[in-house]
Every structure is written in structure tokens, then in C-alpha cells.
Amino acid sequence: MARIAYLSPVPPMSSGVATYSAAVLRDLRETGFTKHHRLDVPKPRQSLEAAVARSDVAVYHVGNNLRFHGEIYGLAVRRPGLVVLHDLALDDLVRGLVDAADPLGDRSEAEALAVRRHHRGIVREGPLETPWCALAVRRSRGVVVHAAFGQRYLEALGCRTPIYVIPHPVPSPPSARVRRLASRIRARHPGRTILGVLGDIGEAKGIDAVLDAARQLGEAVHVAVVGRRIPGYDVFRSVNERNMASRVTVRPNVSDVDFMAWVVASDVVVNLRHPHRGEVSGTLLRAMRAGKPSVVSAVGSYLDAPEGTVVTIPGGPPDPGMLAATLAPLVRDPGARAAIGRRARAAMERQQRERVTARSDGAAIEETLRRLRHPAAAPVERWAAAMADLGVTQREAGRGFGSEYLEALDEIVARPTI
């Protein structure tokens, strides 16, 4: 029985990754993984480093938030294990480390810039143009991404670390309490089509474009902006500048139950993203689980949604006119909305029945554990890390730089033991 250190924000911490991890841990237990391995999940204020020290392998959940993920990121670099990337762009985290004068910030930035110089990735602008996750990925023994886009992105940057594409766990279906609250919301907006702009309330969600599109669609459309407020964007100012206070509901920083009630109450969920950071939208998954049609940007991980389960508009800054034209048939036709919603819910139910996330997570942990237990793992890790820190490129290594050392290791490992 191996001991697994599972390092992640967990409830009651107010983080989307905490909600994710609660679902993953539940499913790992229900699929029998914990019958063969011991999961060590440090609680808030417990030592993460101690958990890693007593483990056989550590699973590091890394997102783009220094407060929630800074310590986990540092351990992932120092004590390699399996890294779960919740954001491909770790720019805020790395810049936060730099601003705090943490040497790890400078090291992470240097690695990202070096990789960008040597590899032209599949993203040419925005936060993903610079691979801020490069150091965490290079130092890991396996990396988990939540959509095929993440794999394409890393491979285009020359990633040689094993990559596992494992979807987000399926959210629970709306509870009876959520449905009652949703009914009350609907009762306050009779005869209106509710467009739900749900999740982070920030500029990246294209809220201004949604408001402008709603004005074009007429008085029968009501916009609900609900989620976590992001500094730097004033949604109330945007609403007031358009004289739309009577047609817009803004609910910042609501509870999970209230948030899900707005998902269920919405007729259409508008889930745009510019710039895209490579993340998978938890809001989109909740909408799909609730059987709601979603309009999304045709970029990154959104392109990996099952066919027919979402409606897309071109990536980049959203055009209000094009968005209004895309929304118009959904606003007019409840049957069209219902058909997309049924396909979305069916895709989520199928994934849940097959326990895809838990089984894939378990397999990734097992493979990483085997990799760490390989006799040559430790010396190869030290050798490779030293070469990378010295600036030796893959091309130079291929010309024989240090190859004799690797060949000697292979020979030693291959020898039969007495």
C-alpha cells in the first residue's frame, strides 16, 4: 500500500479547485482506489511539506493563484511528483513570486522565457504565449491536464513529461433545494429569457459584449451576472452606462447553492473567455449537468466540448452583433435550447457512469508511482535537472552531451540482481 500526498485546496476554502478536489476524492474512494493506497490530504494549517516527506508520491494541484497554490507549486518543483494543472497560464502565480522576491519566481520566469525562445507554441498572443507552467511541467514526473487542448499546448512546447488528459469530475445534479430557489428566481422574471453570465465577474468574460447583445435582442431578455467579483472590472458601471439596471441582475460572491440556482434558472448560459488561459470552465460543466445550452468562445479547451453540446462564437474579443445573432435563435426557440441541453446533460451522465475521472486519476497516480520507484529515477532526475539549469538544450543533449551516463545507468538497471 503506497502513501499518496494529495496537495490541494479543500473545502471550506473558497476555491474552485477545492470543489474539484472534493469531487475527485469522493470518486477515488467510491471506485476502490483507497483500498489499495492511503490518501493523505492535509487540512488547512497542516504542514504540506511533512505530508510530502512521508509519502511515496505526491499529487500537486496547481492553479494561477499565489494564495492557494504558492506553497504547493514550490513543493512540486522541489519534490517532483504528479502535477495537476488547473491553469496552463501561471502568470499571476509566477509574478506574485517575483514581486515577493522569492527566488523560485525568477527561476520560473527564466524557464518560461527560455522555452518561448526555443519553441513556437500554438498560441501566439495573450497569457499562453509565454509558457509560465514550464518549470512545473519539466520538474514533474507526470502532468494532468483537463482537455486535449492542454496536451496539444504542452507538446507544441517540446514537453517530454508524460501527459494525462483527464476530464473534470462531473458536478452533482441540481438538488431539490437548488431547484426550489431557481423556481423563485424564475417567478421574479415572468416571460423573460434569462441569459446567465456566470462565474468570475471580470473583463475576460466579455460581459460588456453580452450587455450590448442583450440590448439588441429586446426587452424580453434579462441578463444575470452571478459569481465571484474580480478586482479591476466594475460590472455596475458597465450596467449603468447602458441604462440597463432594470434588465440586469448582478449577484457577486454568492454561495454555491445560490450560484447553482442561477445556473438552473438561466435559459442560456453565456460563457465567453478572452484571453483564454487554457483552463476548463467549471461553470460550463455545471450548466451542461443541469441541461442548459451554453454559448462559448471557440478557443482552447472550449473546442474539446462534445459535438452538439455547446454553441460557439469566434475566439478573440467578442463582437456584440455576432453574439446577438448567435443568441437570437436560442432566445426565440425553447425547443432548440432544450435539444442542446439534453445532449449536454447526456454527455455528463455518460462520463459519470463510466467514472472516467476517478479511474484515469488512479491510473495516472499508479504510473507516476512506478516511475518514481524505478532504480534509475533519482540519478537521472538529478542529472537532467542539472543539465537543464545549465542551459543545455535538447539538441545538444541529442549530440551526445551526457549520453554515456544514461547508457551506463541503463546497463546497471538491466543487470540481474542476486
Side-chain angles (χ1 to χ4, degrees):
M1 175 178 283
R3 189 163 190 158
I4 316 298
Y6 188 97
L7 273 57
S8 170
V10 293
M13 298 176 75
S14 57
S15 161
V17 178
T19 303
Y20 164 96
S21 282
V24 168
L25 291 168
R26 176 202 66 207
D27 287 351
L28 284 173
R29 295 184 181 104
E30 291 181 358
T31 54
F33 181 83
T34 52
K35 293 179 181 178
H36 307 287
H37 301 292
R38 179 175 178 180
L39 280 173
D40 188 356
V41 187
K43 296 178 181 178
R45 293 184 294 278
Q46 289 184 330
S47 172
L48 302 185
E49 189 156 9
V52 174
R54 60 179 176 257
S55 71
D56 296 294
V57 63
V59 180
Y60 301 102
H61 290 265
V62 178
N64 195 27
N65 184 301
L66 183 62
R67 173 189 167 198
F68 290 129
H69 301 279
E71 185 179 3
I72 295 173
Y73 175 78
L75 284 167
V77 171
R78 295 199 308 273
R79 300 286 298 272
L82 179 65
V83 167
V84 183
L85 276 181
H86 292 274
D87 293 276
L88 294 177
L90 300 179
D91 51 334
D92 290 343
L93 185 149
V94 171
R95 289 186 179 118
L97 290 170
V98 171
D99 292 343
D102 189 321
L104 182 58
D106 293 333
R107 184 180 173 191
S108 301
E109 185 175 46
E111 180 98 7
L113 295 175
V115 172
R116 190 179 72 177
R117 283 196 301 272
H118 288 95
H119 297 276
R120 289 294 290 171
I122 59 175
V123 179
R124 299 287 188 264
E125 62 180 1
L128 291 178
E129 181 184 9
T130 300
W132 299 102
C133 62
L135 181 61
V137 171
R138 174 170 70 82
R139 291 289 293 156
S140 68
R141 293 297 160 264
V143 59
V144 172
V145 293
H146 298 308
F149 170 77
Q151 181 175 24
R152 297 193 297 271
Y153 176 79
L154 294 177
E155 288 179 344
L157 296 170
C159 176
R160 295 301 182 92
T161 302
I163 302 171
Y164 305 94
V165 180
I166 303 176
H168 263 256
V170 176
S172 300
S175 65
R177 182 185 175 193
V178 163
R179 293 192 178 280
R180 285 195 300 271
L181 290 173
S183 295
R184 294 172 192 167
I185 293 171
R186 295 292 321 180
R188 293 197 294 269
H189 304 283
R192 298 285 187 91
T193 299
I194 298 178
L195 303 182
V197 185
L198 313 172
D200 288 347
I201 303 176
E203 189 173 358
K205 295 299 287 289
I207 297 172
D208 288 5
V210 178
L211 296 176
D212 290 337
R215 282 204 301 182
Q216 297 179 40
L217 292 169
E219 293 288 334
V221 172
H222 189 86
V223 179
V225 182
V226 183
R228 182 181 61 168
R229 196 167 184 180
I230 300 299
Y233 175 73
D234 188 345
V235 63
F236 294 101
R237 179 179 179 180
S238 291
V239 171
N240 292 331
E241 285 177 346
R242 293 165 173 78
N243 296 315
M244 292 184 69
S246 63
R247 296 183 53 196
V248 180
T249 298
V250 179
R251 294 286 185 271
N253 304 323
V254 299
S255 69
D256 284 347
V257 171
D258 286 340
F259 181 84
M260 195 62 201
W262 279 100
V263 173
V264 174
S266 297
D267 294 293
V268 180
V269 174
V270 185
N271 195 343
L272 310 180
R273 200 67 59 93
H274 176 75
H276 183 59
R277 294 174 173 272
E279 71 275 51
V280 170
S281 170
T283 297
L284 175 60
L285 298 180
R286 291 184 180 190
M288 292 174 68
R289 188 68 179 87
K292 299 294 175 176
S294 297
V295 175
V296 303
S297 305
V299 294
S301 56
Y302 287 121
L303 295 172
D304 297 322
E307 185 175 356
T309 60
V310 297
V311 176
T312 62
I313 65 168
D319 175 76
M322 182 173 292
L323 179 58
T326 302
L327 287 167
L330 297 175
V331 169
R332 289 193 305 265
D333 188 352
R337 299 197 299 262
I340 298 169
R342 281 194 300 271
R343 290 192 292 269
R345 181 166 49 235
M348 291 289 97
E349 290 173 348
R350 182 168 55 253
Q351 182 180 321
Q352 179 62 23
R353 283 194 307 272
E354 296 171 358
R355 301 282 185 157
V356 174
T357 301
R359 296 187 189 284
S360 300
D361 273 328
I365 293 171
E366 295 272 14
E367 288 186 25
T368 305
L369 184 61
R370 286 194 292 272
R371 200 169 293 116
L372 287 170
R373 284 174 168 170
H374 190 277
V380 167
E381 176 189 329
R382 289 194 296 271
W383 173 84
M387 285 191 36
D389 289 339
L390 287 170
V392 177
T393 67
Q394 181 179 321
R395 182 177 300 174
E396 289 167 336
R399 289 200 295 262
F401 194 105
S403 60
E404 295 87 352
Y405 180 47
L406 281 180
E407 290 169 0
L409 277 173
D410 285 340
E411 183 180 343
I412 292 169
V413 171
R415 289 176 187 167
T417 56
I418 298 175

